[in-house]
Amino acid sequence: MSEQKHWADHQERGSFWLMKLTALAVKLLGRRLLSPILYGIVLYFFVFGKRARQSIWEYQRRLAVSSGLAILQPSLRSVFGQFMAFADALLDKLDVWNGRLRLEQIRIVDPANLRPAMRGARGQLLVGAHLGNLEVCRALAELGEKVTMNVLVHTRHAERFNRLLGEAGATNLRLVQVSELNPAVMLQLSERLDRGEWLAIAGDRVPLHGGRHVRVDFLGAPAAFPQGPWLLAGLLKCPLNLFFCLKQQGRYHVILEPFAEQVQWKRNDRDQVIAQWVGQYAKRLEHYCQQAPQQWFNFYPFWKADDHSQA
């Protein structure tokens, strides 16, 4: 429906103020005192957020069917558990930037030994998802690799988030707005790669006002995914790897996975080539959703085309 707002319109203003309020509350109260308050807020959104509740139910149902695991079938308890996992992830984000999460508490899973190459003369593109807690992956740059991580976002308030991150102590993290891939933006990103900086972007949300997207199979039905990460990799001529961060048994596991040494296309087959890469990405996302079924944080109707195409 034309009067419906895109997910970004609903979440952007609230996300900034929720982060700011929560960051202040953590400093004043500490995590132990803040947790019951935040969980109460999440309970409120669970009870009154019918759209988000139904969206998570659909996701859990599709995950159960596609994986063949009956234990993943949705229930009110499992849906509420996903809301609570989101609250827990928010508290962990603030722990990262307030220095309370140390590198020793993070297990880095890097079977292909990508980390040495990631410290090379030129940077590369990392594609993640709203699965688990990408803040911990970004903290890998802040605490471990000591390189600048440029997180590419669609928010119109990137500078406000940058100030908030700076207040929280994140010195090597920058948010870069990429709502449009115009020549000025591409030049800026290329210069950052040339300085050895990393670019990071989530590959599972179509940007505000639709943007370029492709529909591929995800959990048994077509869903819209952005073309942006794959267009960027091809235009910037840089390697593209995947990264995820899952919380298992109270500990974060940062997973680095090789994906594409180079994304190349010709003018007449660009959309087809990108669709193939996106399809492979969707399969890897399915794999990790099965490992952490309650840690995928997209609280909107992911399989409905009109929710992505309408502003």
Side-chain angles (χ1 to χ4, degrees):
M1 295 175 63
S2 60
E3 68 270 17
Q4 285 184 327
K5 289 185 177 181
H6 188 280
W7 60 265
D9 288 323
H10 286 291
Q11 294 182 0
E12 185 174 345
R13 290 189 298 271
S15 295
F16 174 78
W17 288 109
L18 180 59
M19 282 186 65
K20 190 171 184 65
L21 179 62
T22 308
L24 178 62
V26 165
K27 289 182 179 180
L28 295 177
L29 302 176
R31 177 165 179 157
R32 182 173 299 179
L33 292 177
L34 177 64
S35 295
I37 300 173
L38 185 60
Y39 293 153
I41 295 173
V42 170
L43 175 61
Y44 171 87
F45 282 108
F46 171 77
V47 172
F48 294 101
K50 180 180 178 181
R51 185 171 183 260
R53 197 171 60 245
Q54 290 177 337
S55 298
I56 294 304
W57 184 286
E58 181 184 16
Y59 154 72
Q60 292 187 2
R61 180 184 63 80
R62 291 186 181 279
L63 183 62
V65 172
S66 67
S67 65
L69 299 174
I71 195 174
L72 297 182
Q73 285 290 346
S75 64
L76 280 177
R77 183 175 181 177
S78 67
V79 172
F80 180 61
Q82 194 148 339
F83 278 73
M84 295 299 284
F86 177 73
D88 191 56
L90 179 58
L91 289 169
D92 285 344
K93 288 179 184 183
L94 293 165
D95 278 349
V96 169
W97 301 126
N98 287 328
R100 296 189 181 95
L101 188 66
R102 300 184 305 277
L103 193 61
E104 301 80 54
Q105 297 172 270
I106 305 170
R107 182 189 173 206
I108 301 172
V109 182
D110 183 16
N113 198 28
L114 289 175
R115 291 175 69 195
M118 292 166 70
R119 293 191 293 268
R122 194 167 190 260
Q124 59 186 279
L125 181 64
L126 301 176
V127 179
H130 292 85
L131 175 71
N133 199 332
L134 288 184
E135 301 297 330
V136 178
C137 295
R138 297 163 189 169
L140 180 63
E142 185 79 22
L143 300 173
E145 305 302 333
K146 299 299 182 183
V147 299
T148 298
M149 177 81 82
N150 300 281
V151 182
L152 311 184
V153 297
H154 306 301
T155 174
R156 287 173 285 185
H157 301 295
E159 289 306 314
R160 299 173 73 188
F161 279 99
N162 279 334
R163 288 198 301 271
L164 179 58
L165 290 166
E167 292 169 5
T171 57
N172 289 332
L173 175 70
R174 292 292 179 270
L175 301 188
V176 181
Q177 180 182 342
V178 288
S179 297
E180 295 183 13
L181 298 181
N182 56 48
V185 170
M186 295 303 299
L187 178 60
Q188 179 190 38
L189 296 180
S190 181
E191 290 174 347
R192 292 179 186 234
L193 286 172
D194 291 341
R195 293 198 296 265
E197 299 178 11
W198 298 354
L199 307 180
I201 189 170
D204 61 341
R205 275 190 193 166
V206 173
L208 188 63
H209 304 308
R212 294 178 179 270
H213 64 274
V214 59
R215 297 185 69 80
V216 300
D217 184 82
F218 178 59
L219 299 180
F225 285 82
Q227 290 187 1
W230 327 99
L231 285 171
L232 278 172
L235 294 172
L236 294 171
K237 302 187 186 317
C238 64
L240 182 153
N241 295 313
L242 304 184
F243 73 131
F244 300 94
C245 184
L246 311 179
K247 193 171 188 178
Q248 298 173 328
Q249 299 179 337
R251 186 182 184 190
Y252 275 111
H253 293 67
V254 174
I255 303 164
L256 300 171
E257 182 176 305
F259 196 69
E261 185 62 33
Q262 195 168 9
V263 176
Q264 295 179 306
W265 64 78
K266 298 177 182 178
R267 181 173 298 180
N268 62 344
D269 66 357
R270 184 188 67 183
D271 290 346
Q272 179 182 356
V273 170
I274 289 178
Q276 291 173 351
W277 284 113
V278 175
Q280 293 181 42
Y281 165 81
K283 287 183 172 59
R284 298 310 297 156
L285 180 57
E286 284 189 16
H287 170 77
Y288 288 111
C289 282
Q290 290 179 21
Q291 294 190 18
Q294 291 191 335
Q295 294 181 40
W296 191 59
F297 301 132
N298 277 320
F299 294 88
Y300 66 96
F302 197 79
W303 285 267
K304 289 187 179 179
D306 56 356
D307 282 333
H308 296 281
S309 61
Q310 298 296 337

